[in-house]
Amino acid sequence: MVGFAIALIVISVLGLGGLAVYYFIIKKKYSNNTLLFSKDKLLLKNKSGIKEALDSLYQMIYLTFIKMPVLKYYTKKTRLKFEMTNDYDEYDVRRHTGRSMFIAIICMFISLAVLLNLVDDLYMSFIVIVGVIIITEKVIDISITSVSNKILRQLPETFTSIRHSFHEHGMIDEALDTTIDELESKEIVPQLKRIRDAITSENPEMELERYYDTAPNRFLKLFAGISYLTYELGDRKVDDTSVYLKNLNNILNEIYLEVLKQDKLNYMFRSLTIISVVPLVAVKPLQVWAETNFPALSNFYDSSIGFIVQAMIIISIFVSYIMLRIIKEDTDEIKFDRVSKLRWQDKLYKIRPVRLIVDAFKPESHTKRYRKNTELIRDTNSYLTIEWLYVNKLTYAFVFTILTVLLIINMNLIDSKAAYNRISDDFMAMGQLSAEDELAAQEVLKMDREYIDKYKDKQVTKEELKEELQREAEENGSEVDASAVDRIYNKIDTINNSYLKFWHVALAIVVGVIGYYVPNLALMIKNNIRSMEKENEIMQFQSIILMLMHIDRVDVQTILEWLCRFSYAFREPIATCLNNYEAGAEIALEELKDAVPNKDFKRIVEQLQSAVMRITIREAFDELETERSFFYERRKDANERLIHRKVSYGKILGFTPMTILIGGYLVAPLLIVSILQMLNYFSKMSF
């Protein structure tokens, strides 16, 4: 593994060299384009020194990582952390993000180089690589989540200060200024400053849209929107209560529900991620323990079947870890979809041969299959087009086929090596071998290897092998063991047949066909996960409408804009409705109602239709006001059911790798080997 670590260091050096080359290319590009320079503020002009050179390097790293498929997601999350906690401009945000990502990558590669020198096994090397990647990912994620949670839990104190200041001044900007002064050391202060600057700017709607893109949670977006409407349209009293302060109370109730839900989910999921990853480091110790106490299992672990079970454990760990992250995450937290802006499919589709192949597989626009795929994409709120979906499907099919072929080749190599080194089952009694048995086993293995080397890549029948063994036995004055003929012949046959066969290729094609449907399956799973949030999202819609219905000059279109802004599961149909709203409000709302089969969502749309045609918004949604306590209790119950459902899925996913490890890698092989040995003993017994 020393060579592997050296190769890793060489790759790291080449990567840094590539970054340096890219830096000079970018520098030249920006030095020749003043407009581009002034827009992005990439490099510092008229300054020189180590600090400025490093700042430019961090900028270049940011621009590089933000375009890379995997690093892009974590770069954006790191950027979000600095946007949440500081008042940096674009240049400083990029600089700090680039520096953090640079440090993370350097630490990861140093850790890999050190740890890989401490192991001498390919599987352990894989564990080290995966472990370092997971730890790096968790550190980045925890750094973001901790800040986000602090901001969320500081909101009640913030709203209390704003309420007190608003009572005194009656002005939003004054209340925000006072609160900022009181909470100057809190993580939430940069958010309050950005909200204040946005609503008091010359173009508040545009500035608010920018803020919505980076707000750490939906409650701050709600607060910013309500504050802007009150700042622009003024406050009013309903039942001798300020509408603005009433809305703050509504948001506060939402915050308490969210904090309670997060605390319960964190408690329930606190160990599941660790449980799902533990088998990764437990495989090798478990194997060593099993081989020490049950030597008969050595042949299983050295075989291709043992390798397949290992692969199943690794795949289950990877799938479980990713799925646990997705299930635990709130929809509002999935701000940066891991592939949401990735456009490699578009570039690949533009290649003419690829486009011809994709178009050959893609269904016609008027077919049922086309409609089914487009509806699946739309329901999942995916970035994909139908062409990109089939690019993914064909790519998965190709990758699965190639990986299967490589896997089969590796399995043949493993079987060949195992046959060459396998000790006879006659010596594999339960428990450790004695010194005499160990010596005898090695002598038998040495004899087996002589015949394997002699007849490797040659045709030999069992009869011919038996005759040769008899001749040698007669020369040595001994008898031929019938089991020795079978054992040696099976080993020779295994080694001579360790090559890629036609049915192997056919199997790889079948696996490729399965891979072809994986993108559809992924969309279905994602849609199923999102369905858990739909009821919760509809209740959020009711809370938003409850806050907007008492504000003057708020119309149906404004409500739709707010619902679209805070929606995830229903964003696509609401956005379509908004696009068609100017052409005809009634028709657009009717199409929205038909597009979503959910009964509660249809009820909201019907109430919006009533507000367009006959009555005011307040009259259309008066039941929200009269039944507020009922909706609040219903929301709590929905959260409980959502938590229970997520935890149920989480437990299944979390314990699956451990089940495969214990059941498939220890218990099942032990039972099978024990039964085979027992049958072998019975066959040799004479009655």
Side-chain angles (χ1 to χ4, degrees):
M1 289 300 106
V2 175
F4 190 84
I6 294 174
L8 185 67
I9 295 173
V10 171
I11 292 173
S12 304
V13 173
L14 291 175
L16 291 175
L19 286 176
V21 173
Y22 183 73
Y23 164 71
F24 287 110
I25 294 174
I26 291 291
K27 184 176 181 180
K28 183 177 180 181
K29 174 182 175 182
Y30 275 76
S31 62
N32 296 332
N33 192 327
T34 307
L35 292 176
L36 193 62
F37 173 84
S38 60
K39 175 188 175 185
D40 282 345
K41 300 179 181 178
L42 177 65
L43 303 170
L44 293 173
K45 281 187 175 180
N46 302 323
K47 290 185 179 181
S48 60
I50 296 177
K51 182 180 181 305
E52 287 72 27
L54 288 175
D55 288 350
S56 300
L57 175 66
Y58 299 146
Q59 291 277 338
M60 177 268 299
I61 290 173
Y62 172 84
L63 288 180
T64 304
F65 286 177
I66 205 70
K67 298 174 183 177
M68 300 177 70
V70 178
L71 293 176
K72 178 181 186 178
Y73 170 69
Y74 299 104
T75 303
K76 286 188 173 183
K77 291 198 74 172
T78 306
R79 175 191 171 102
L80 177 62
K81 173 187 176 182
F82 291 110
E83 287 181 327
M84 285 194 300
T85 56
N86 298 281
D87 295 325
Y88 294 143
D89 58 15
E90 180 64 18
Y91 177 84
D92 286 329
V93 168
R94 291 185 180 188
R95 179 169 60 85
H96 283 86
T97 303
R99 182 176 64 181
S100 296
M101 289 301 298
F102 179 72
I103 293 173
I105 294 295
I106 291 297
C107 290
M108 187 176 73
F109 274 99
I110 291 175
S111 301
L112 287 174
V114 172
L115 293 175
L116 287 174
N117 277 297
L118 302 178
V119 298
D120 56 355
D121 181 79
L122 183 61
Y123 182 78
M124 292 302 296
S125 300
F126 179 80
I127 290 177
V128 166
I129 294 172
V130 173
V132 169
I133 292 174
I134 288 177
I135 291 172
T136 304
E137 190 266 348
K138 289 297 291 183
V139 168
I140 294 175
D141 186 66
I142 290 173
S143 66
I144 305 296
T145 305
S146 62
V147 174
S148 179
N149 287 337
K150 285 181 181 178
I151 291 175
L152 178 64
R153 283 160 173 75
Q154 288 169 6
L155 279 171
E157 180 185 358
T158 302
F159 283 4
T160 300
S161 177
I162 289 174
R163 285 177 61 88
H164 180 72
S165 300
F166 189 77
H167 273 303
E168 287 187 359
H169 307 290
M171 299 177 65
I172 301 295
D173 51 346
E174 290 289 340
L176 284 171
D177 286 334
T178 303
T179 303
I180 289 170
D181 292 337
E182 290 180 3
L183 306 174
E184 57 180 349
S185 61
K186 302 282 187 179
E187 285 81 2
I188 199 173
V189 168
Q191 301 297 320
L192 299 178
K193 290 180 179 178
R194 294 182 64 192
I195 293 172
R196 178 200 60 193
D197 295 340
I199 64 178
T200 58
S201 65
E202 295 181 358
N203 192 344
E205 293 184 358
M206 184 180 71
E207 294 298 326
L208 280 174
E209 287 297 329
R210 290 179 179 174
Y211 176 73
Y212 294 149
D213 290 336
T214 58
N217 56 60
R218 65 179 182 273
F219 308 108
L220 278 169
K221 290 196 285 186
L222 272 173
F223 170 67
I226 292 297
S227 298
Y228 166 66
L229 289 177
T230 305
Y231 182 79
E232 287 291 314
L233 305 177
D235 191 22
R236 57 174 295 194
K237 290 186 178 295
V238 175
D239 299 331
D240 295 328
T241 303
S242 165
V243 171
Y244 179 68
L245 297 180
K246 198 173 185 179
N247 286 335
L248 287 187
N249 283 337
N250 290 335
I251 299 174
L252 197 57
N253 288 333
E254 294 281 321
I255 292 170
Y256 288 142
L257 285 176
E258 182 65 23
V259 169
L260 185 62
K261 184 176 78 171
Q262 283 191 11
D263 288 343
K264 287 185 177 180
L265 280 175
N266 290 334
Y267 178 77
M268 296 295 185
F269 278 80
R270 68 191 185 282
S271 302
L272 288 177
T273 302
I274 298 175
I275 292 173
S276 68
V277 176
V278 161
L280 190 67
V281 296
V283 169
K284 208 64 180 178
L286 183 66
Q287 179 180 336
V288 172
W289 176 85
E291 289 178 336
T292 302
N293 293 276
F294 310 103
L297 291 179
S298 299
N299 291 338
F300 167 77
Y301 292 132
D302 293 335
S303 68
S304 59
I305 299 177
F307 171 75
I308 288 294
V309 177
Q310 275 192 4
M312 288 176 59
I313 294 172
I314 294 170
I315 292 172
S316 66
I317 290 170
F318 176 76
V319 172
S320 297
Y321 180 77
I322 297 297
M323 291 300 297
L324 282 172
R325 289 289 307 277
I326 293 175
I327 289 176
K328 184 185 175 183
E329 281 181 342
D330 224 5
T331 52
D332 189 60
E333 294 175 359
I334 309 176
K335 189 180 296 293
F336 298 119
D337 191 345
R338 286 164 174 77
V339 292
S340 61
K341 296 186 180 298
L342 191 62
R343 295 294 182 266
W344 63 269
Q345 295 96 337
D346 187 34
K347 295 179 181 179
L348 198 60
Y349 184 69
K350 288 179 179 178
I351 301 174
R352 182 174 176 80
V354 175
R355 185 168 64 252
L356 292 174
I357 297 174
V358 171
D359 290 343
F361 281 86
K362 185 186 69 175
E364 298 293 333
S365 58
H366 58 276
T367 61
K368 180 180 179 180
R369 191 154 57 100
Y370 182 92
R371 185 172 63 255
K372 186 177 179 180
N373 283 322
T374 52
E375 288 177 356
L376 181 62
I377 293 171
R378 183 193 63 195
D379 293 342
T380 316
N381 198 25
S382 174
Y383 72 101
L384 293 170
T385 64
I386 190 69
E387 291 80 11
W388 295 355
L389 173 62
Y390 275 83
V391 169
N392 282 352
K393 288 163 72 74
L394 291 170
T395 302
Y396 271 76
F398 177 77
V399 171
F400 272 50
T401 302
I402 298 300
L403 288 179
T404 304
V405 170
L406 295 176
L407 183 64
I408 291 173
I409 292 174
N410 190 47
M411 288 173 60
N412 287 331
L413 293 174
I414 290 173
D415 281 339
S416 179
K417 182 179 179 181
Y420 195 77
N421 297 306
R422 185 169 61 238
I423 297 176
S424 173
D425 292 336
D426 295 337
F427 295 96
M428 289 299 183
M430 302 301 286
Q432 296 185 2
L433 295 178
S434 63
E436 294 79 7
D437 288 339
E438 180 71 28
L439 184 61
Q442 292 299 323
E443 287 295 328
V444 171
L445 181 60
K446 181 179 178 181
M447 181 187 72
D448 291 351
R449 286 175 177 176
E450 291 177 357
Y451 284 96
I452 291 172
D453 292 334
K454 182 176 181 179
Y455 290 107
K456 187 167 63 175
D457 299 328
K458 295 180 182 179
Q459 293 294 330
V460 62
T461 63
K462 186 179 291 187
E463 289 72 18
E464 293 173 344
L465 182 62
K466 184 177 181 180
E467 291 176 0
E468 183 169 351
L469 285 171
Q470 284 178 338
R471 285 196 303 269
E472 290 196 5
E474 291 173 357
E475 292 175 1
N476 297 327
S478 59
E479 295 182 359
V480 177
D481 187 357
S483 63
V485 177
D486 293 334
R487 183 186 69 248
I488 297 173
Y489 180 80
N490 289 335
K491 287 185 176 183
I492 295 172
D493 185 64
T494 298
I495 292 175
N496 288 342
N497 282 283
S498 296
Y499 60 89
L500 192 66
K501 304 177 183 66
F502 172 78
W503 69 270
H504 289 159
V505 178
L507 177 62
I509 293 174
V510 172
V511 174
V513 172
I514 296 173
Y516 179 80
Y517 292 98
V518 166
N520 288 79
L521 180 63
L523 289 177
M524 291 177 186
I525 293 173
K526 186 177 180 182
N527 193 34
N528 186 43
I529 293 173
R530 289 175 65 246
S531 68
M532 293 191 291
E533 299 282 353
K534 286 184 178 180
E535 183 179 356
N536 188 45
E537 190 165 295
I538 289 172
M539 294 182 183
Q540 291 177 21
F541 290 166
Q542 293 169 341
S543 299
I544 291 171
I545 295 171
L546 188 62
M547 285 185 271
L548 295 176
M549 60 188 289
H550 294 296
I551 298 177
D552 290 334
R553 288 182 279 177
V554 169
D555 56 10
V556 172
Q557 186 173 5
T558 303
I559 291 177
L560 286 172
E561 290 173 352
W562 276 66
L563 297 186
C564 185
R565 182 179 301 140
F566 293 95
S567 176
Y568 183 78
F570 303 103
R571 181 176 299 169
E572 184 69 23
I574 296 175
T576 303
C577 177
L578 279 170
N579 291 334
N580 301 332
Y581 193 85
E582 295 295 336
E586 297 179 17
I587 297 175
L589 288 170
E590 189 65 31
E591 290 175 349
L592 175 61
K593 187 170 69 172
D594 295 337
V596 181
N598 187 280
K599 181 182 68 174
D600 294 328
F601 187 81
K602 284 179 180 289
R603 176 60 180 158
I604 292 176
V605 177
E606 289 171 354
Q607 291 170 314
L608 291 174
Q609 287 177 312
S610 299
V612 168
M613 296 182 289
R614 297 184 297 275
I615 57 179
T616 64
I617 291 176
R618 184 175 181 182
E619 291 171 332
F621 293 97
D622 60 344
E623 66 180 45
L624 296 180
E625 186 70 36
T626 57
E627 300 179 6
R628 178 184 298 182
S629 59
F630 167 74
F631 284 117
Y632 182 76
E633 292 299 322
R634 184 183 172 191
R635 184 77 176 276
K636 288 172 61 177
D637 181 64
N639 278 349
E640 290 293 333
R641 285 186 280 111
L642 179 65
I643 292 170
H644 178 74
R645 195 172 176 187
K646 286 190 173 187
V647 170
S648 299
Y649 287 139
K651 287 181 178 179
I652 294 173
L653 290 167
F655 284 95
T656 296
M658 188 67 73
T659 302
I660 297 175
L661 174 67
I662 301 298
Y665 206 62
L666 179 62
V667 177
L670 186 59
L671 288 175
I672 293 172
V673 170
S674 300
I675 292 172
L676 291 176
Q677 283 192 342
M678 183 176 63
L679 293 175
N680 186 37
Y681 293 153
F682 285 161
S683 66
K684 293 181 178 180
M685 291 177 64
S686 59
F687 296 94

